[in-house]
């Protein structure tokens, strides 16, 4: 799994940061893309990455503020020009369907693929054989949501040599053992999957939050996450101003990560008052609370390893 930050700024674009969007690349062989928020110029940012619009299979919108959604109509329209664009699922707050319908009606736009719109309710909003997505409400100036992406556990690696020693022939029975199913051999011997496979591979958990002040929903989403993406609009001593605008500080993001037992925190939605040279001090104050704190940057890609694996990226600074 890989997460690419397409925009890490707050409110409006700046010379150093575009407004909010990020793309999650799902594990191979699936390799498709889930997009989280779609601020203005998101599709322009995508042109600076290997990501193709026809690989995006779902878009998740946290809330209807313009810096999180104004790039969506253009991106959806452009996707029609990419060969092989299949159905796309769009998840967002109440009102997102009205928004899309109004923009497309007034601009006479149409799509050459099926757009499936789901307006959010708390709980599981999506599940397939590999992944579960939960949505929980946050506390912002407008209805706002966060998403918890849970990868299902997978059976451990098959020890083919050990299976052969137990008399399992090459063929379908090995595949069944690899997939976690016990098998009966022709001679009546039962071979248990657990006897010839390693421990299950624990699924990863990614929590991606919209704009919020500290609230109960943050903990629900972030609990035990391998990666927590949390807004940190202001520095730690600006908690009063942050609360007035429905936002969090660096220290509050770090406290949320620590309380949830997260493995890594990436802060985003950084106010345009802060320049690149300010980020060292912001990181230091977050790390005083939660050492595994990092700052997102536009076009940065980070690997999300399984527990016990080392990240394969060089962005940890």
């Amino acid at each position: 799994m890989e997460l690419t930050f397409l925009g890490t700024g707050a409110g409006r674009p700046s010379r150093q940061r575009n407004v909010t969007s990020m793309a999650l690349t799902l594990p191979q062989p699936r390799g498709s893309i889930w997009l989280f928020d779609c601020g203005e110029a998101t599709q322009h940012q995508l042109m600076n990455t290997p990501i193709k619009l026809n690989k995006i299979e779902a878009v998740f919108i946290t809330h209807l503020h313009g810096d999180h959604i104004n790039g969506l109509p253009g991106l959806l329209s452009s996707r029609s020009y990419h060969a092989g664009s299949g159905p796309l699922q769009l998840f967002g707050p109440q009102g997102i369907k009205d928004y899309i319908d109004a923009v497309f009606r007034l601009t006479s736009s149409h799509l050459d693929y099926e757009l499936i719109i789901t307006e959010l309710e708390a709980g599981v909003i999506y599940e397939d054989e590999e992944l579960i997505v939960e949505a929980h409400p946050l506390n912002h100036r407008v209805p706002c949501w966060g998403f918890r992406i849970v990868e299902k556990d997978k059976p451990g690696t098959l020890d083919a040599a050990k299976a052969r020693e137990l008399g399992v022939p090459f063929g379908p029975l090995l595949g069944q053992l690899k997939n976690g199913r016990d098998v009966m051999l022709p001679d009546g011997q039962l071979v248990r999957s657990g006897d010839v496979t390693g421990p299950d591979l624990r699924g990863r958990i990614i929590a991606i939050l919209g704009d919020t002040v500290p609230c109960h929903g943050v903990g629900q989403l972030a609990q035990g996450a391998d990666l927590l993406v949390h807004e940190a609009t202001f520095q730690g001593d600006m908690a009063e101003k942050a609360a007035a605008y429905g936002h969090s500080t660096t220290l509050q993001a770090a406290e949320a990560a620590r309380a949830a037992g997260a493995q890594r925190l990436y802060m985003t939605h950084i106010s345009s008052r802060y320049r690149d040279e300010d980020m060292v001090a912001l990181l230091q104050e977050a790390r005083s609370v939660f050492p595994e704190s990092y700052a997102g940057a536009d076009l940065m890609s980070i690997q999300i390893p399984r527990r016990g694996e080392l990240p394969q990226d060089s962005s940890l600074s």
Side-chain angles (χ1 to χ4, degrees):
M1 279 186 174
E2 181 177 80
L3 186 69
T4 300
F5 293 97
L6 301 170
T8 56
R12 57 188 174 88
S14 68
R15 292 181 181 274
Q16 295 175 313
R17 297 178 187 273
N18 195 43
V19 286
T20 300
S21 183
M22 61 201 82
L24 179 66
T25 303
L26 301 182
Q28 296 297 337
R30 185 169 176 171
S32 51
I33 306 297
W34 285 0
L35 193 67
F36 292 84
D37 281 338
C38 191
E40 178 186 352
T42 291
Q43 65 174 315
H44 291 263
Q45 292 287 77
L46 285 169
M47 293 177 188
N48 296 310
T49 76
I51 296 171
K52 305 300 181 186
L53 292 185
N54 59 7
K55 296 291 288 182
I56 299 174
E57 67 176 28
V59 179
F60 300 82
I61 300 295
T62 61
H63 63 295
L64 299 184
H65 275 161
D67 58 322
H68 295 256
I69 197 172
N70 279 350
L72 183 59
L75 182 142
L76 295 177
S77 297
S78 294
R79 190 172 180 269
S80 287
Y81 293 92
H82 288 252
S85 293
L88 185 143
Q89 297 196 69
L90 172 60
F91 299 88
Q94 293 289 322
I96 192 169
K97 186 177 187 304
D98 288 345
Y99 170 77
I100 293 297
D101 288 347
V103 172
F104 283 5
R105 175 174 53 83
L106 293 170
T107 59
S108 299
S109 302
H110 70 278
L111 303 180
D112 291 337
Y113 57 87
E114 182 183 10
L115 179 64
I116 305 160
I117 300 178
T118 301
E119 296 194 330
L120 297 171
E121 296 182 358
V124 174
I125 60 169
Y126 175 87
E127 182 172 4
D128 61 28
E129 293 181 354
E130 300 171 341
L131 298 159
I132 300 172
V133 182
E134 297 177 28
H136 292 285
L138 299 171
N139 187 355
H140 189 44
R141 291 179 294 152
V142 299
C144 188
W145 297 80
F147 302 101
R148 178 180 173 89
I149 303 96
V150 179
E151 181 185 32
K152 296 180 180 179
D153 294 346
K154 293 184 177 180
T157 304
L158 175 69
D159 186 338
K162 187 173 183 179
R164 290 288 292 163
E165 290 175 4
L166 294 175
V168 181
F170 286 111
L173 294 182
L174 283 175
Q176 293 178 39
L177 289 167
K178 182 178 179 180
N179 290 326
R181 296 194 296 270
D182 300 340
V183 300
M184 185 73 70
L185 301 183
D187 63 3
Q189 178 187 356
L190 177 67
V191 178
R192 300 187 182 280
S193 174
D195 294 336
V196 293
T197 58
D200 285 352
L201 299 176
R202 182 187 180 278
R204 290 158 281 197
I205 300 173
I206 303 100
I208 297 176
L209 308 189
D211 297 356
T212 191
V213 298
C215 66
H216 176 67
V218 172
Q220 287 181 290
L221 293 157
Q223 188 63 42
D226 296 276
L227 173 65
L228 168 61
V229 180
H230 194 305
E231 71 123 296
T233 307
F234 297 106
Q235 64 195 54
D237 62 1
M238 298 183 69
E240 186 174 342
K241 184 178 182 69
Y245 287 93
H247 291 300
S248 295
T249 68
T250 52
L251 292 178
Q252 289 169 338
E255 288 163 0
R258 181 178 65 182
Q263 295 295 297
R264 280 194 291 167
L265 165 69
Y266 267 82
M267 297 179 292
T268 186
H269 203 268
I270 309 298
S271 170
S272 59
R273 71 176 56 211
Y274 304 113
R275 300 290 184 259
D276 287 345
E277 55 268 26
D278 300 318
M279 295 312 298
V280 172
L282 296 181
L283 275 172
Q284 285 177 344
E285 67 178 14
R287 288 174 176 173
S288 71
V289 173
F290 185 73
E292 292 297 316
S293 297
Y294 305 95
D298 284 22
L299 304 180
M300 170 193 288
S301 292
I302 59 171
Q303 296 292 324
I304 308 170
R306 296 180 186 275
R307 297 285 175 98
E309 296 177 346
L310 292 175
Q312 298 300 309
D313 60 273
S314 57
S315 62
L316 305 186
S317 59

